[in-house]
Amino acid sequence: MFEIIKENNKYKNLVNGSWIASESNDYIEIKSVLDNSTVGFVPTMSQKEVDNVLENAKVAQKQWRETSIDERANLLYKAAEILEKNVGVFVDSMIHEIGKDKKSCKSEVLRTADFIRYTADTVRTMSSECLVGDGFYGGNPKKTGIIKREPLGVVLAISPFNYPINLAASKIAPAIAIGNSVVLKSSTQGSICGLHLVRVFEEAGVPKGVIQTVTGKGSEIGDYIVAHKNIDFINFTGSTDIGKRITSKCGMIPVILELGGKDAGIVLEDADLDHTANQIIGGAFSYSGQRCTAIKRVLVMEEVHDILVEKLLNKIKDVTVGNPLNGDFDVVPLINDKSADFVMGLINDAKDKGATILYGDKREGNLIYPTLIKDVTLDMNVAWEEPFGPVLPIIKVKSYEEAIEIANKSEYGLQSSVFTKDINKALNIADKLEVGTVQINNKTERGPDSFPFLGVKNSGIGVQGVKYSVEAMSRPKVTVLNI
Ligand code: NAP
Ligand code: G3P
């Protein structure tokens, strides 16, 4: 079923129901993160080609919005089934293209199938409602409001490299479920996974033009597409820098932005330190810390600092390191040289300013060994920057107030964890943290995907999560009957 999306390893884009080769014969070579071998070539689309895609999306959406929710939900169930059946294809594609280990690739694909299915379940319950105007002050029983949910039109979905299936599908499924059409622009490293995913929706029977793809470097085509007159909504996941750039270009087009994070694990003196160390190490190092929700700093009360450090040091030795072609590993090569250079820069800056490296600080190509740093002070870049790599700084604090102050001083506000046996303390601290989600006695993480997921400050705008994504990509339409 995937043969039609490429010819001689040159991938095509889905445009108005047909897989189309590059018009200009201009391609980007996608090399494997793992061994530099060629995974395939994806077209660099021109502005003219993008115009055509967006014109089709406008036309297709007008018909698509007229279909019933039942019809759309059934297509989503079918897509989920096809995705699950082809899990092996996706796992292979992801391992080579983004270097994720097999187990994590598989779980991403299965989680995505669940997401799509749950979107279909949810959208069925989000049907129209009626309100009678008699309840409001001075009530008027002669007014009846019919409130329907209207799609917004054409949704531009821009996804990052780290979850190329999940973070593309979690935009596509809610968008089309409520009657939008979608144009997917995947991250270039990850775009082959994105094209495979779109083929699944096509195979499920999504009509022509309702989902289409655009490939090409964001740095070249991004500014053009985000400001395009035919885009009605932008659903973006990626770095804060690019998120900010998009808002500076897109004018009044509404957006959801899921951006970077610097999630803190706050450890109180009464925490179960074995459990805490397990959670922190898992949260910090899985997929080499290339997760927006990775634990990216530890703020620990001085009374338990040394014991926690010892436990983290013991635990980090269990973190497995290697090439996903040879097995399942927690820490795998980073996505590119630039990312690996950046992470090493953070480690070196911390060393230069007096931090103590407890473990790691070793690089082989793009593979950076899990690195644990203590004696981290607030003048070090690693205390504030999002590494998107396997490095964990530990900061000692004297009080809860100090922990909250440092946590909130970050430009980011995605999630935080609080580890303690005292639920009152946990809830008090949770109330004061400027983040979208606080996890109590658990690592920071996104799932279950039905929960609202959001970042505050430089971590984002808007709310995702199945129901919330459907709401964000639709609006109420009120028709009032006056009798
Ligand atoms: P990125 O470099 O910002 O790229 C994200 C997407 O934006 C890619 O598709 C990229 O395409 C595209 N892009 C680049 N320049 C653009 C422009 N001028 N206009 C429009 N689009 C443009 O991020 P990444 O390295 O893929 O992902 C890592 C970042 O994503 C981290 O900061 C992480 O925290 C964040 N993230 C956040 C969440 C969340 O839910 N909050 C989830 C996952 C990841 P090209 O690849 O072609 O450049
Ligand atoms: O960074 C991707 C984001 O979606 C995180 O998901 O499940 O790794 O917390 P998760």
Side-chain angles (χ1 to χ4, degrees):
M1 109 178 211
F2 294 102
E3 298 73 39
I4 62 169
I5 71 173
K6 65 174 175 177
E7 214 173 307
N8 299 327
N9 220 16
K10 286 183 171 162
Y11 282 80
K12 302 177 179 183
N13 275 291
L14 181 62
V15 178
N16 216 19
S18 305
W19 289 91
I20 310 264
S22 166
E23 263 180 20
S24 57
N25 207 25
D26 188 3
Y27 286 89
I28 303 165
E29 183 178 5
I30 307 294
K31 291 187 168 187
S32 172
V33 174
L34 302 176
D35 55 11
N36 228 24
S37 60
T38 303
V39 184
F41 297 83
V42 296
T44 299
M45 280 176 115
S46 65
Q47 293 187 357
K48 197 171 133 240
E49 288 171 290
V50 168
D51 288 344
N52 179 38
V53 165
L54 291 170
E55 200 52 52
N56 302 328
K58 266 278 176 233
V59 174
Q61 194 269 331
K62 292 203 167 26
Q63 288 175 6
W64 179 241
R65 71 185 287 281
E66 301 300 332
T67 56
S68 68
I69 284 184
D70 180 55
E71 187 179 329
R72 292 181 225 140
N74 284 329
L75 287 177
L76 291 180
Y77 291 130
K78 213 164 160 198
E81 197 185 315
I82 298 169
L83 182 61
E84 257 172 5
K85 269 198 191 135
N86 288 284
V87 62
V89 175
F90 282 92
V91 167
D92 275 358
S93 169
M94 284 162 86
I95 291 179
H96 287 95
E97 199 178 3
I98 61 150
K100 199 177 261 197
D101 69 281
K102 192 173 178 179
K103 195 167 147 225
S104 307
C105 291
K106 194 171 170 196
S107 92
E108 179 175 341
V109 175
L110 299 181
R111 168 186 183 177
T112 304
D114 284 343
F115 183 100
I116 296 170
R117 213 173 271 126
Y118 193 82
T119 302
D121 295 342
T122 302
V123 77
R124 285 177 186 283
T125 66
M126 294 176 72
S127 51
S128 314
E129 57 176 343
C130 261
L131 284 181
V132 182
D134 60 352
F136 195 70
Y137 300 105
N140 187 345
K142 298 201 166 192
K143 282 187 179 288
T144 306
I146 303 167
I147 297 132
K148 289 187 182 173
R149 286 216 81 82
E150 280 277 312
L152 300 181
V154 177
V155 170
L156 172 63
I158 305 180
S159 53
F161 80 84
N162 65 335
Y163 281 78
I165 303 303
N166 187 262
L167 290 174
S170 63
K171 300 170 182 8
I172 293 171
I176 65 168
I178 200 68
N180 299 288
S181 59
V182 174
V183 173
L184 173 68
K185 152 73 186 99
S186 299
S187 64
T188 297
Q189 193 79 34
S191 52
I192 292 177
C193 295
L195 295 171
H196 281 87
L197 175 72
V198 166
R199 173 74 187 107
V200 165
F201 284 100
E202 187 204 11
E203 178 74 8
V206 174
K208 70 174 188 179
V210 173
I211 304 179
Q212 299 175 94
T213 56
V214 164
T215 51
K217 288 189 179 144
S219 54
E220 290 168 12
I221 202 71
D223 287 356
Y224 183 71
I225 195 168
V226 300
H228 202 284
K229 67 175 174 27
N230 281 0
I231 296 289
D232 298 298
F233 189 82
I234 300 170
N235 192 329
F236 172 82
T237 306
S239 62
T240 297
D241 282 352
I242 300 295
K244 283 184 175 172
R245 185 179 177 92
I246 289 174
T247 52
S248 75
K249 301 279 171 195
C250 72
M252 286 184 66
I253 301 172
V255 292
I256 280 185
L257 304 176
E258 293 184 327
L259 309 176
K262 185 72 180 170
D263 294 1
I266 299 176
V267 186
L268 306 191
E269 67 286 350
D270 65 346
D272 172 342
L273 293 180
D274 287 312
H275 171 75
T276 302
N278 270 335
Q279 289 291 315
I280 288 177
I281 294 294
F285 295 110
S286 62
Y287 189 37
S288 310
Q290 296 179 115
R291 295 167 49 241
C292 59
T293 47
I295 290 201
K296 292 172 183 153
R297 51 191 170 142
V298 174
L299 304 175
V300 54
M301 291 292 289
E302 59 185 356
E303 295 92 316
V304 287
H305 171 272
D306 292 356
I307 314 173
L308 181 74
V309 164
E310 198 187 310
K311 288 184 189 293
L312 290 173
L313 196 47
N314 273 333
K315 263 277 130 212
I316 202 172
K317 293 176 183 151
D318 297 336
V319 173
T320 54
V321 182
N323 183 327
L325 292 175
N326 305 327
D328 283 324
F329 297 102
D330 305 308
V331 169
V332 294
L334 296 184
I335 195 70
N336 54 37
D337 290 344
K338 200 173 146 209
S339 302
D341 292 346
F342 180 70
V343 174
M344 289 312 295
L346 292 177
I347 297 171
N348 290 332
D349 173 74
K351 278 197 297 193
D352 291 347
K353 291 176 180 160
T356 309
I357 306 292
L358 292 164
Y359 195 77
D361 186 18
K362 181 175 153 193
R363 174 175 180 178
E364 287 162 3
N366 290 347
L367 184 65
I368 294 183
Y369 282 67
T371 299
L372 190 62
I373 314 181
K374 73 167 184 173
D375 302 325
V376 171
T377 48
L378 302 187
D379 57 330
M380 298 174 188
N381 296 336
V382 77
W384 306 110
E385 302 266 358
E386 177 186 49
F388 232 57
V391 55
L392 182 63
I394 304 170
I395 300 172
K396 195 193 286 183
V397 293
K398 288 188 166 51
S399 64
Y400 305 161
E401 289 72 25
E402 188 185 0
I404 294 165
E405 191 189 328
I406 296 173
N408 286 346
K409 216 168 168 186
S410 169
E411 66 174 294
Y412 298 109
L414 193 55
Q415 297 204 350
S416 273
S417 293
V418 182
F419 294 95
T420 173
K421 292 193 187 110
D422 185 330
I423 191 68
N424 289 343
K425 278 186 204 159
L427 292 175
N428 276 325
I429 293 174
D431 269 354
K432 295 186 174 70
L433 291 170
E434 295 164 1
V435 292
T437 304
V438 179
Q439 302 275 350
I440 296 173
N441 293 321
N442 201 87
K443 61 185 187 292
T444 44
E445 63 187 5
R446 184 181 192 124
D449 293 336
S450 51
F451 282 12
F453 181 74
L454 65 153
V456 301
K457 302 194 285 188
N458 277 350
S459 287
I461 295 175
V463 186
Q464 301 266 33
V466 175
K467 180 180 80 161
Y468 307 92
S469 298
V470 175
E471 282 174 356
M473 292 186 277
S474 60
R475 61 173 159 256
K477 171 77 175 285
V478 190
T479 308
V480 183
L481 297 175
N482 292 279
I483 50 169

